[in-house]
């Protein structure tokens, strides 16, 4: 996962969740751990359905709870979390791994599943996948997931059968240098031309972040990573009813978002579909799905989206169809 380049860091939260990380996790309260139980099981996503789960790190303030989360991880993942510099980065990394484990465990694909028992593997480009334990005729489900996180939001997308990539970016992120300079380095000529045509600097900044988020989601869905699929080798196109441009008013969803590769412009355009969301009024979330089937005239069925805000092992809130999740691009039906 490649973050936006050369950005001004978000100001840190004054109260540190990890006053002394390495000693904090050695002193887990046994009573507290025993008192927590997994939340209710959740049905696997249906055809062309995406489940989006997200956590707001600033709302997870309990040190004992964070300690409990750390105990869910194997030693290698604990070391990875503690290897980040700064409390906020450690907390975000911890919540990302906790969210994946507790979410997948809730789908109950093989009876009761302990989040601690999950094992993961990575493809040759580093994209994580569940490494299911083979036993007594157990057939692993075609479950796909992807994770993205900033210091202020952690999100996980889950599908069945369809490859998925998601990316989260803060709307307020600012680059140190000129937007067009970054765009010329990372984007295609068409995308640079679009950004250059936007006179308002604030709107130009927002369009840049939207583009970056969509491109990142596509690369992650491919499972290849930025180094194998540079952003300047494909173009994101958004077609509205009135025009072909990328400008996406926040109160009007686009009729379609497509990807066009420079070496083979029509090759992958119809194989993927996108959703671009505004989450909590503060973040953009892009979802890219491998298209499995189409409706009449070759048109894709809308993405069925179920979104939940959660604190793992504590509480859930269904936020689909509320002001917390606003569709600003792609064909999406919220449940």
């Amino acid at each position: 996962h490649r973050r936006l380049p050369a950005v001004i860091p978000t100001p840190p939260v004054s109260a540190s969740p990890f006053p002394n990380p390495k000693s904090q996790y050695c002193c887990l309260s046994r009573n507290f751990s025993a008192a927590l139980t997994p939340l209710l099981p959740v049905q696997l996503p249906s055809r062309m359905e995406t489940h989006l789960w997200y956590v707001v790190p600033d709302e997870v303030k309990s040190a004992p709870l964070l300690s409990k989360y750390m105990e869910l991880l194997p030693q290698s993942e604990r070391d990875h979390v503690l290897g980040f510099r700064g409390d906020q980065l450690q907390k975000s990394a911890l919540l990302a791994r906790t969210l994946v484990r507790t979410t997948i465990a809730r789908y109950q694909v093989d009876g009761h599943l302990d989040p601690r028992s999950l094992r993961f593997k990575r493809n040759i480009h580093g994209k994580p996948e569940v490494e299911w334990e083979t036993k007594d005729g157990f057939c692993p489900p075609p479950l796909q997931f992807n994770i993205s996180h900033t210091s202020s939001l952690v999100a996980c997308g889950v599908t069945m059968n369809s490859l998925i990539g998601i990316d989260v970016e803060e709307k307020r992120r600012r680059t140190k240098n000129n937007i067009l300079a970054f765009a010329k380095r990372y984007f295609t000529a068409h995308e640079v031309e679009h950004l250059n045509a936007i006179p308002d600097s604030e709107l130009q900044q927002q369009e840049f972040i939207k583009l970056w988020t969509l491109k990142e989601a596509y690369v992650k869905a491919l499972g290849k990573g930025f180094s194998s699929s540079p952003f300047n080798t494909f173009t994101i196109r958004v077609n509205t009813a009135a025009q072909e441009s990328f400008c996406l008013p926040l109160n009007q969803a686009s009729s379609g978002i497509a990807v066009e590769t420079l070496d083979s412009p029509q090759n992958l355009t119809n194989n993927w579909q996108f959703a671009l969301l505004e989450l909590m009024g503060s973040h953009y979330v892009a979802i890219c799905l491998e298209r499995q089937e189409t409706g009449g005239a070759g048109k894709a069925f809308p993405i069925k989206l179920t979104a939940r805000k959660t604190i793992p092992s504590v509480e859930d809130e269904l936020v689909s169809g509320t002001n917390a999740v606003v569709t600003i691009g792609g064909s999406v039906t919220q449940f």
Side-chain angles (χ1 to χ4, degrees), residues 35-251:
L36 285 180
T37 58
L39 292 171
L40 294 176
V42 177
Q43 289 187 342
L44 286 163
S46 62
R47 179 179 299 177
M48 291 309 299
E49 182 181 10
T50 298
H51 288 178
L52 178 66
W53 303 79
Y54 70 90
V55 180
V56 180
D58 283 352
E59 296 180 0
V60 185
K61 300 178 180 180
S62 166
L65 181 60
L66 292 169
S67 296
K68 185 266 184 183
Y69 290 162
M70 185 64 87
E71 278 224 333
L72 296 178
L73 310 185
Q75 189 60 51
S76 60
E77 291 187 23
R78 297 185 197 186
D79 292 341
H80 182 77
V81 167
L82 295 176
F84 282 90
R85 300 181 66 178
D87 295 338
Q88 285 297 98
L89 291 178
Q90 286 186 5
K91 184 178 181 180
S92 179
L94 172 60
L95 290 174
R97 282 156 179 77
T98 300
L99 180 61
V100 168
R101 287 181 173 274
T102 56
T103 297
I104 293 177
R106 292 182 65 179
Y107 287 108
Q108 304 289 303
V109 296
D110 186 26
H112 177 71
L113 189 61
D114 188 335
R116 298 174 180 84
S117 69
L118 285 168
R119 297 292 179 265
F120 297 90
K121 60 183 179 180
R122 295 180 180 271
N123 68 12
I124 59 174
H125 301 290
K127 185 177 182 180
E129 303 169 350
V130 180
E131 187 172 22
W132 298 105
E133 181 181 354
T134 57
K135 58 180 180 180
D136 299 332
F138 169 65
C139 183
L143 183 148
Q144 301 284 336
F145 75 93
N146 198 228
I147 191 84
S148 181
H149 60 92
T150 68
S151 61
S152 56
L153 189 74
V154 180
C156 179
V158 180
T159 62
M160 292 288 285
N161 296 300
S162 297
L163 297 175
I164 182 174
I166 71 169
D167 187 52
V168 174
E169 300 291 350
E170 295 177 358
K171 290 176 59 177
R172 65 178 181 175
R173 295 293 290 269
R174 291 293 183 269
T175 57
K176 292 181 179 180
N177 300 309
N178 183 270
I179 284 294
L180 292 178
F182 280 128
K184 290 176 181 178
R185 180 179 178 185
Y186 292 102
F187 291 174
T188 64
H190 172 81
E191 293 161 341
V192 173
E193 181 181 357
H194 164 69
L195 291 173
N196 193 39
I198 302 175
D200 183 86
S201 60
E202 179 62 26
L203 180 57
Q204 186 184 75
Q205 175 77 26
Q206 295 301 302
E207 296 299 296
F208 173 83
I209 297 175
K210 292 176 190 176
L211 266 175
W212 185 281
T213 308
L214 286 165
K215 291 170 85 75
E216 181 72 50
Y218 171 66
V219 166
K220 294 177 71 177
L222 288 178
K224 292 184 176 180
F226 180 85
S227 60
S228 298
S229 300
F231 284 2
N232 59 7
T233 61
F234 62 92
T235 295
I236 296 292
R237 291 184 180 272
V238 173
N239 301 317
T240 66
Q243 60 182 351
E244 289 192 3
S245 76
F246 191 80
C247 189
L248 295 174
L250 294 183
N251 60 352

Side-chain angles (χ1 to χ4, degrees), residues 271-330:
N271 292 354
W272 303 91
Q273 61 188 116
F274 295 83
L276 183 61
L277 312 170
E278 185 185 61
L279 209 57
M280 304 187 305
S282 57
H283 292 76
Y284 291 129
V285 178
I287 301 172
C288 178
L289 291 182
E290 182 183 27
R291 183 179 298 174
Q292 296 295 316
E293 55 186 80
T294 58
K299 294 183 178 179
F301 290 111
I303 295 174
K304 302 174 184 177
L305 179 71
T306 299
R308 294 180 177 91
K309 180 181 178 183
T310 184
I311 296 178
S313 297
V314 177
E315 63 183 18
D316 291 337
E317 179 184 359
L318 183 66
V319 293
S320 305
T322 71
N323 291 335
V325 185
V326 178
T327 302
I328 58 175

